[in-house]
Amino acid sequence: EVQLVESGGGLVQPGGSLRLSCAASGFTFSYYAMSWLRQAPGKGLEWVSTIKTSGSTTYANSVEGRFTISRDNAKNTVYLQMDSLKPEDTAIYQCARHYDHSADFRQRGQGTQVTVSS
């Protein structure tokens, strides 16, 4: 059974940092690209970042330069380091697995809440 479990969310002040983790199990982690997505209250699902099997990374314009995605294939875990957080980053953050050349994000975890507020 494929499982994706996010952790690391919480309440942080604007300008602060958080590091999210997504622990994967039930499949060969290194064979899949991993992405982070988020959903803010009252809004649709938004793609945040992807790391492919090669390690290449891409980011949404809204987070470029502030967020860093990484993966540890030995630990079957993908991370999202979030710096210089803004109130508009408030959302539920979910990780998803997919093939390198696919944008099918249906296989996602339950998510972790990130709230940026003073």
Side-chain angles (χ1 to χ4, degrees):
E1 178 189 3
V2 173
Q3 285 198 321
L4 298 167
V5 181
E6 301 92 341
S7 62
L11 173 64
V12 63
Q13 292 187 341
S17 297
L18 281 175
R19 188 194 195 203
L20 305 184
S21 299
C22 169
S25 61
F27 63 98
T28 304
F29 183 74
S30 61
Y31 287 4
Y32 289 84
M34 297 296 296
S35 290
W36 285 95
L37 303 103
R38 66 187 182 185
Q39 187 158 20
K43 296 189 176 181
L45 193 64
E46 177 189 15
W47 169 77
V48 174
S49 181
T50 294
I51 185 165
K52 292 189 175 181
T53 56
S54 64
S56 66
T57 59
T58 50
Y59 299 91
N61 290 338
S62 58
V63 307
E64 180 83 52
R66 300 187 298 121
F67 290 10
T68 303
I69 191 171
S70 62
R71 65 190 297 161
D72 186 337
N73 289 340
K75 294 183 178 180
N76 291 350
T77 302
V78 61
Y79 304 97
L80 186 68
Q81 176 68 40
M82 305 188 297
D83 299 317
S84 303
L85 282 161
K86 304 175 181 180
E88 51 264 43
D89 294 318
T90 295
I92 296 174
Y93 284 71
Q94 297 172 296
C95 65
R97 74 151 194 178
H98 53 97
Y99 293 113
D100 273 349
H101 301 294
S102 165
D104 182 353
F105 301 129
R106 285 177 290 177
Q107 289 194 307
R108 303 193 301 273
Q110 292 291 329
T112 185
Q113 175 71 49
V114 171
T115 303
V116 185
S117 175
S118 54

